[in-house]
């Protein structure tokens, strides 16, 4: 029997039967900050369904809002850019005060251009943005070439999470009278297994290792998938400038983060970051804790939801678009392998034993929409 949903945190099950079998919504028992599950509660545990032990997906890179490039002189016509796939032939760029026109795309990261177009002066450029101002084509031209997305194949593995619940037959006999003793035991084991899943969602490393002839599968976490907008503070204290720098990288890459996830250590430092500005706000909502803090950056139009999560390392701050990160359970031949209670009592035992098991994994669809600031001072 599935657990009925109750908004907010809950500490007991509303299932009136003795045997709780489907625990897939059991995270509703937990306070968002209880044992470090705030981010996992925000992401949810039902947005991903996969069918194989190893599953694949294709990620289409975001079109960058700005492309920064360098050229050492006024005559070079081959320019190295972050991504040429989203650029059509005959596109005009304003590069400082020079206009360049794209005439060819030799590779995924190079453009061939006409320098000093429309009577502008060609000059050297050092790490400045090329601003796309549209295509300019002659009348009766053939159709433009197709713009190709740069798709990358990614994958992750499933991971089996398990905790066991045991009690004597004397305890088990009490289940039909008064308070169910299994509920408290199950709750404690379920908190432990959710904590492990939350940690794996953040820090898991994907792998398939053979031990004694059997393969052990482990899922990769968010930290492993983030490769692009990752900045090392190198021991510096958190600052508005460091935060805005990562957010600028994300927005320039085409992303729009919604969450700022921090440890308690960095939450304290953020709260005292700037006494002259109100950077942190509060707002009401109906699920989980009644109050959510926010962080406002000049880089973004909307505030970021500030999640304090004990799972996170003390020197890190994550900037995430939760619509790109999905957590869920395997869909097998016998149904969804979300957390369930299974009776695994050995034959002849004077007691009962239940296993809480689930096969879960993670999918990050657009890693460039997310970012990480790490190496922050913790003292």
């Amino acid at each position: 029997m599935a657990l009925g949903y109750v908004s907010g945190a809950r500490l007991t099950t509303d299932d009136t039967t003795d045997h709780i079998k489907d625990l897939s919504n059991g995270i509703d028992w937990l306070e968002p900050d209880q044992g470090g599950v705030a981010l996992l509660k925000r992401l949810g545990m039902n947005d991903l369904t996969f069918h194989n032990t190893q599953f694949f997906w294709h990620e289409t890179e975001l079109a960058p809002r700005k492309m920064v490039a360098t050229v050492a002189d006024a005559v070079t016509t081959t320019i190295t850019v972050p991504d040429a796939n989203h650029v059509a032939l005959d596109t005009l760029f304003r590069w400082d005060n020079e206009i360049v026109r794209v005439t060819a795309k030799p590779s995924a990261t190079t453009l061939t251009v006409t320098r000093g177009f429309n009577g502008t002066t060609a000059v050297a450029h050092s790490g400045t943005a090329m601003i796309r101002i549209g295509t300019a084509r002659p009348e009766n031209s053939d159709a433009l070439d197709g713009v190709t997305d740069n798709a990358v194949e990614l994958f992750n593995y499933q991971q089996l999470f398990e905790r066991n619940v045991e009690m004597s037959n004397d305890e088990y006999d009490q289940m039909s009278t008064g308070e169910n003793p299994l509920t408290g035991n199950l709750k404690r084991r379920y908190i432990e297994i959710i904590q492990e899943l939350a940690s794996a969602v953040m820090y898991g490393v994907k792998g398939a290792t053979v031990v004694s002839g059997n393969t052990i599968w482990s899922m990769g976490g968010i930290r492993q998938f983030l490769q692009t907008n990752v900045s090392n503070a190198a021991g510096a204290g958190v600052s508005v400038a460091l935060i805005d720098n990562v957010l600028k990288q994300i927005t320039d890459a085409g992303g729009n983060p919604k969450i700022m996830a921090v440890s308690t250590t960095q939450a304290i430092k953020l709260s005292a970051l700037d006494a002259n500005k109100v950077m942190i706000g509060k707002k009401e909502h109906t699920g989980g804790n009644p109050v959510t803090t926010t962080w406002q950056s000049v880089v973004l139009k909307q505030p970021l939801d500030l999640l304090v999560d004990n799972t996170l390392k003390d020197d890190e701050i994550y900037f995430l678009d939760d619509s790109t990160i999905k957590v869920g359970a395997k869909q097998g031949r016998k149904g969804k392998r979300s957390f369930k209670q299974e009776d695994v009592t050995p034959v002849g035992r004077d007691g009962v034993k239940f296993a809480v098991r689930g096969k879960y994994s993670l999918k990050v669809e657009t890693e460039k929409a997310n970012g990480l600031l790490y190496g922050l001072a913790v003292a």
Side-chain angles (χ1 to χ4, degrees):
M1 178 179 294
L3 295 176
Y5 177 75
V6 177
S7 63
R10 77 177 182 228
L11 301 178
T12 59
T13 173
D14 68 339
D15 194 322
T16 58
T17 64
D18 286 337
H19 300 279
I20 306 166
K21 297 185 181 301
D22 189 338
L23 308 176
S24 57
N25 291 329
I27 195 171
D28 297 321
W29 290 349
L30 308 180
E31 296 284 355
D33 59 350
Q34 185 179 23
V37 298
L39 182 58
L40 183 58
K41 280 182 72 77
R42 173 64 180 257
L43 296 175
M45 295 165 55
N46 298 300
D47 286 341
L48 170 67
T49 298
F50 57 96
H51 299 273
N52 299 313
T53 303
Q54 180 183 17
F55 62 98
F56 296 84
W57 68 92
H58 287 85
E59 175 182 302
T60 300
E61 292 189 359
L62 298 171
R65 293 187 174 97
K66 293 182 180 179
M67 292 200 298
V68 174
T70 295
V71 66
D73 51 50
V75 296
T76 299
T77 58
T78 300
I79 302 169
T80 299
V81 295
D83 183 4
N85 290 300
H86 295 280
V87 179
L89 296 182
D90 298 328
T91 295
L92 300 182
F93 286 96
R94 177 162 181 159
W95 200 2
D96 296 324
N97 290 323
E98 178 186 1
I99 303 297
V100 299
R101 176 174 174 264
V102 177
T103 58
K105 298 191 292 183
S107 75
T109 57
T110 56
L111 298 173
T112 301
V113 300
T114 299
R115 301 292 303 276
F117 194 70
N118 271 357
T120 57
T121 301
V123 297
H125 303 278
S126 179
T128 54
M130 300 172 63
I131 301 173
R132 184 166 10 200
I133 57 176
T135 56
R137 313 191 68 232
E139 293 292 328
N140 297 320
S141 298
D142 292 335
L144 277 172
D145 64 309
V147 175
T148 303
D149 288 330
N150 185 20
V152 179
E153 185 178 67
L154 300 175
F155 71 92
N156 208 347
Y157 293 112
Q158 70 174 22
Q159 184 167 335
L160 171 63
F161 295 84
E162 181 172 340
R163 269 288 184 272
N164 291 332
V165 178
E166 298 184 62
M167 64 178 60
S168 68
N169 275 335
D170 289 339
E171 291 177 301
Y172 188 71
D173 289 341
Q174 299 173 28
M175 292 180 62
S176 297
T177 59
E179 183 179 356
N180 185 340
L182 179 61
T183 300
N185 203 333
L186 178 61
K187 172 190 166 185
R188 289 186 289 275
R189 302 294 81 76
Y190 194 79
I191 289 174
E192 293 166 359
I193 203 169
I194 286 292
Q195 288 172 334
E196 293 180 353
L197 175 59
S199 296
V201 164
M202 290 306 306
Y203 297 115
V205 176
K206 62 185 179 182
T209 303
V210 177
V211 177
S212 301
N214 297 313
T215 302
I216 300 175
W217 310 94
S218 58
M219 60 182 272
I222 293 172
R223 181 64 182 88
Q224 183 173 22
F225 282 97
L226 296 191
Q227 300 292 326
T228 306
N229 307 310
V230 178
S231 180
N232 186 356
V238 65
S239 66
V240 174
L242 285 172
I243 292 172
D244 286 348
N245 178 62
V246 179
L247 290 175
K248 182 179 185 300
Q249 293 178 47
I250 297 172
T251 56
D252 285 352
N256 187 28
K258 309 295 192 308
I259 301 171
M260 184 173 175
V262 301
S263 66
T264 52
T265 296
Q266 295 305 323
I268 292 171
K269 293 181 179 298
L270 287 173
S271 67
L273 189 60
D274 193 338
N276 298 318
K277 296 181 181 179
V278 180
M279 305 297 294
I280 296 180
K282 296 181 178 180
K283 65 181 182 180
E284 300 292 327
H285 68 89
T286 57
N289 265 357
V291 176
T292 299
T293 54
T294 60
W295 178 268
Q296 180 64 64
S297 168
V298 296
V299 178
L300 303 172
K301 292 182 179 179
Q302 79 284 350
L304 294 166
D305 288 338
L306 184 62
L307 297 183
V308 180
D309 194 317
N310 294 326
T311 299
L312 304 185
K313 294 181 179 179
D314 286 342
D315 69 330
E316 297 178 336
I317 297 179
Y318 286 82
F319 307 90
L320 305 174
D321 181 348
D322 53 336
S323 68
T324 69
I325 303 171
K326 303 183 185 303
V327 180
K330 182 178 182 179
Q331 181 70 42
R333 291 181 179 271
K334 296 183 179 180
K336 197 170 184 180
R337 301 294 179 88
S338 54
F339 284 129
K340 291 180 175 62
Q341 172 195 310
E342 300 177 20
D343 189 342
V344 293
T345 306
V347 176
R349 182 172 183 174
D350 184 22
V352 293
K353 183 175 182 179
F354 296 95
V356 180
R357 294 171 175 164
K359 292 184 177 180
Y360 282 82
S361 195
L362 168 83
K363 179 179 180 182
V364 179
E365 292 182 331
T366 312
E367 69 91 11
K368 284 186 177 180
N370 306 280
L372 167 64
L373 175 61
Y374 73 101
L376 292 164
V378 298

